[in-house]
Amino acid sequence: IRHALVEGDWKTQHKFFHHNQDLLENIEELEARARRRDIVVDDETLFKFYDKRIPDDVVSGRHFDAWWKSERRKNPDLLTFTPDLLISDEAEPVDERDFPTVWQVGDLSLPVTYQFEPGTAADGVTVHVPLDVLNRLDNSAFEWQIPGLRAELVTALIKSLPKALRRGLVPAPDTAAQVLRQIDPDDGPLLPVLADELQRLRGVPVEPEDFDLSKVPTHLRITFSVEDHGRVAATGTDLDTLRERLKVDVRSAISRAADSIEVSGLTSWPDDEVPKIFTSTLAGHEVKGFPALVDEGSSVALRVLPSPDAQQQAMRTGVRRLLLMQVPSVAKQTASRLSNADKLSLSANPHGSVAALLDDCTATAVDAIVQDAGGPAWDAGGFARLSDAVSLQIDDRIAQVVTVVARILTAARDVERGLKQTSNLALLPALTDMRTQLEGLVHKGFVTETGFRRLPDVLRYLQGMLRRLDKLPEDPGRDAARMAQVHQVQDAYAKLLARQPKDRPVGTAVADIRWMIEEFRVSLFAQQLGTAYPVSAQRIDKAVRAAQNA
C-alpha cells in the first residue's frame, strides 16, 4: 500500500489509480499556486484510506488484481479519492478562481503556471506568451498580479515606501486589505490608483514614484516566458525589455503571417490602399500587425510593424520619401537664390555640406505641407492630393525653412564663439551645460527632427543662450542656482525616457517635455524673450508624472 498506492511506485492500468494520481497532482499544484504547504493531507492519511478498504491478505500486485477484479463490480468507487479527502481539515480554504490557469487579455488566452521554489528565477507566476503576439501586450495588463497574490503585492508596495510615509500606513497588511476593498484593476494603472486611494483613506501624500519596486519580493513580479512553436525564446519580468531583445524574432513572426501583403522596392504608391490593421491566424493565435510604408532610402517598402506608434512614425517618413521621389530636387535652385550672407551661414552647418543641409530643409518642408494637408495618405487618391500640394507649395516652403535655418546657424555660431571666448574656469560648469544644450539643438538632421513649426523656437532658445552668456560673469552663483533647477527637471525627464519601451517611438506627450525644458531655460536665463506658454518646474514635473501614468 505505502510504496505502490501512496508513493505511486507501481505500473498499472487501474483507472482509480490514475484518477487518484491526477487529483493529487492537481491539489499539489494548487499548493504551489497558493504558495502554501498545508493543503494536501500527509501520506499517513492516504495510507489509512487504502488500509481501511483493502483486505489484509492482499499483499502483492497479483493479489490486488485478483481481489479488485471482483470488488470493483460491487463497489467501483471504493478506492477513488475525492477532493475533500486530499485537503487537510486544518487548511484555510483556497478559491481556485484567485489562482487562474489562464490569463485573459482581450481576445488572447495566455496559459499561466506556478512555481513555489523561493530563490529560483521562475519562483511565482509565469505567463506563457506566444512570440507572434508579444507585440500586442504591455506590462500594464499584468501589474495588478493575480487575485490570490494581490494583497501580498499591495502590502509589499506599502512597505517599500519611505519611512516618513510608511509610518502613517501601519500595519501594512491591514491597510492593504482596506485599500483593496475600494479599488480593482478596472480603476486604471496600479501605482497611481494605489497612491490616490492611500491618500484618500489615510491622508498620506503618496505619489506613484514613491513606491520602490526594487524592494518588492521577486515572486510578486510576473515572469513572462516567450515561446515560439514550443521553444522558449526568452524569459523575463519586463515585456518592454523582452520585446527589445526579441524585436528581430517578433518582426520575423509577423512577417511570416503578413507575407501576402509585404513588398519591397516601391518607387510609387502601391496598387492598393495601406490598411490600418492587418490580422492573420498563425498557430491558432490571431496575429495583429500595423502596415506602413517604410523609408528604405532609394525606395520604400510595405511592411507590417508591431505597434501603432511604429506604424505612425514609419508612415510619415515613408510617404515623405515617396513624395520626394515625385518632385524634382529644388536644392540647387534654392542654393542659387541665396544671398552671400545666407550662403555663409549655411556653410557652417553640422551636416557636412550645404547640399545635405538643403536636403534636410526639403524634407522638413514636405513634412509641413503634408501636415497642413491632413496627411499622411493611406490610399492612392490621398497620395495624389498630397503630391499636388507639394508640387504647388514646395518652393515657397523651402525658402521659408532655409531663411529660419540660416538665422539659427548664425546664432549657433555666435553661441559657439561666446563659449570659446569665456576662459574663466569658475564658469566651466555653466559652459559645459550650454555646450550640451547647443549640441541638442543644432546637429546633423536637426531641421527635420525639429520640424517647421518649432524652428523659430530653436532660434529663440539660441538667443536665450547668448543672453545667458552676457550675464554669466556678473553673477555666476545665480546662474548656478538656476542651472540646478534645470538639471533637476532634466534628471526626471531622463528617468522617464529610460522607462520608455525601447522598441517603440517616444510618444508626443513625452517628446513635448523636452521642449518644455527648453522653454524653462528661457524663463530662467532670458525672461525678456518670453516663453511660448506658461512653464515652471512644477508644470514639467506634472507633465512627467502624467506621462508615467499614461
Side-chain angles (χ1 to χ4, degrees), residues 164-165 168-169 175 195-206:
L165 298 174
L169 300 171
T175 303
D196 289 346
E197 190 62 22
L198 289 172
Q199 184 163 353
R200 189 187 72 82
L201 287 176
R202 297 293 181 87
V204 179
V206 179

Side-chain angles (χ1 to χ4, degrees), residues 294-300 321 325:
V294 177
D295 183 3
E296 295 190 330
S298 60
S299 64
V300 300
R321 175 59 59 194
M325 289 190 288

Side-chain angles (χ1 to χ4, degrees), residues 267-289:
T267 56
S268 60
W269 191 264
D271 294 336
D272 297 315
E273 68 176 5
V274 177
K276 296 288 183 70
I277 296 178
F278 172 84
T279 58
S280 179
T281 301
L282 188 68
H285 299 284
E286 184 181 70
V287 180
K288 184 178 293 186

Side-chain angles (χ1 to χ4, degrees), residues 58-117:
V58 175
V59 295
S60 69
R62 190 169 61 255
H63 286 87
F64 181 90
D65 291 341
W67 167 76
W68 184 237
K69 182 177 181 180
S70 172
E71 184 65 26
R72 69 188 178 194
R73 294 193 181 97
K74 298 177 291 182
N75 197 355
D77 296 326
L78 177 66
L79 301 181
T80 301
F81 289 167
T82 62
D84 291 344
L85 167 72
L86 297 183
I87 297 176
S88 172
D89 293 337
E90 288 78 29
E92 291 290 329
V94 176
D95 189 340
E96 292 195 48
R97 292 173 297 181
D98 290 341
F99 302 92
T101 56
V102 172
W103 199 308
Q104 197 71 33
V105 182
D107 62 324
L108 297 176
S109 298
L110 305 175
V112 180
T113 57
Y114 298 80
Q115 188 167 319
F116 185 20
E117 295 185 24

Side-chain angles (χ1 to χ4, degrees), residues 461-474:
Y461 303 149
L462 294 169
Q463 292 167 343
M465 295 176 71
L466 290 171
R467 289 179 180 260
R468 181 183 178 188
L469 277 168
D470 289 340
K471 294 186 290 185
L472 179 60
E474 301 172 6

Side-chain angles (χ1 to χ4, degrees), residues 484-494 517 520 536-537 540-541 544:
Q485 295 183 58
V486 174
H487 288 176
Q488 185 174 3
V489 296
Q490 281 182 326
D491 289 345
Y493 183 52
I517 294 173
F520 186 47
S536 65
I540 295 173
D541 182 62
V544 168

Side-chain angles (χ1 to χ4, degrees), residues 414-415 417-419 421-422 427 431 434 462-476 478-479 525-526 528:
D414 292 341
V415 171
R417 187 182 300 116
L419 291 171
Q421 290 174 350
T422 306
L427 305 180
L431 300 178
M434 281 187 274
L462 294 169
Q463 292 167 343
M465 295 176 71
L466 290 171
R467 289 179 180 260
R468 181 183 178 188
L469 277 168
D470 289 340
K471 294 186 290 185
L472 179 60
E474 301 172 6
D475 194 345
R478 182 176 61 180
D479 186 279
F525 299 110
Q528 306 92 328

Side-chain angles (χ1 to χ4, degrees), residues 257-530:
D259 185 61
S260 61
I261 71 167
E262 291 197 333
V263 61
S264 299
L266 295 171
T267 56
S268 60
W269 191 264
D271 294 336
D272 297 315
E273 68 176 5
V274 177
K276 296 288 183 70
I277 296 178
F278 172 84
T279 58
S280 179
T281 301
L282 188 68
H285 299 284
E286 184 181 70
V287 180
K288 184 178 293 186
F290 304 89
L293 296 176
V294 177
D295 183 3
E296 295 190 330
S298 60
S299 64
V300 300
L302 179 58
R303 300 279 182 236
V304 179
L305 303 181
S307 71
D309 290 338
Q311 177 191 48
Q312 289 297 326
Q313 184 183 57
M315 200 66 180
R316 183 175 64 83
T317 58
V319 169
R320 177 212 294 159
R321 175 59 59 194
L322 276 185
L323 289 168
L324 288 171
M325 289 190 288
Q326 299 294 316
V327 298
S329 174
V330 294
K332 291 183 180 179
Q333 183 180 352
T334 302
S336 67
R337 295 200 300 259
L338 294 174
S339 66
N340 289 333
D342 284 343
K343 288 179 180 178
L344 181 62
S345 296
L346 296 180
S347 64
N349 67 71
H351 292 66
S353 68
V354 173
L357 173 64
L358 291 175
D359 286 343
D360 194 11
C361 293
T362 303
T364 305
V366 169
D367 283 349
I369 296 169
V370 169
Q371 185 175 357
D372 288 347
W378 293 88
D379 57 33
F383 181 75
R385 288 188 291 273
L386 290 181
S387 183
D388 290 343
V390 169
S391 297
L392 290 172
Q393 302 175 37
I394 191 68
D395 288 347
D396 290 341
R397 192 58 65 95
I398 288 180
Q400 294 170 2
V401 173
V402 169
T403 298
V404 181
V405 169
R407 296 178 64 190
I408 287 173
L409 293 175
T410 299
R413 189 168 64 249
D414 292 341
V415 171
E416 185 65 43
R417 187 182 300 116
L419 291 171
K420 290 179 179 178
Q421 290 174 350
T422 306
S423 57
N424 187 341
L425 290 178
L427 305 180
L428 185 59
L431 300 178
T432 301
D433 176 61
M434 281 187 274
R435 283 195 177 91
T436 301
Q437 182 187 5
L438 178 61
E439 291 169 0
L441 292 172
V442 181
H443 50 265
K444 184 177 181 179
F446 82 91
V447 187
T448 303
E449 180 184 301
T450 302
F452 176 70
R453 282 159 186 77
R454 277 209 170 98
L455 287 173
D457 292 330
V458 171
L459 178 60
R460 181 163 46 86
Y461 303 149
L462 294 169
Q463 292 167 343
M465 295 176 71
L466 290 171
R467 289 179 180 260
R468 181 183 178 188
L469 277 168
D470 289 340
K471 294 186 290 185
L472 179 60
E474 301 172 6
D475 194 345
R478 182 176 61 180
D479 186 279
R482 292 173 174 174
M483 182 172 63
Q485 295 183 58
V486 174
H487 288 176
Q488 185 174 3
V489 296
Q490 281 182 326
D491 289 345
Y493 183 52
K495 291 178 182 177
L496 173 65
L497 287 177
R499 285 194 288 267
Q500 299 304 299
K502 302 295 187 296
D503 62 326
R504 298 179 183 180
V506 172
T508 302
V510 175
D512 284 348
I513 297 174
R514 177 261 171 106
W515 300 107
M516 290 181 69
I517 294 173
E518 295 294 344
E519 294 291 341
F520 186 47
R521 284 180 174 274
V522 173
S523 74
L524 293 175
F525 299 110
Q527 298 91 334
Q528 306 92 328
L529 294 177

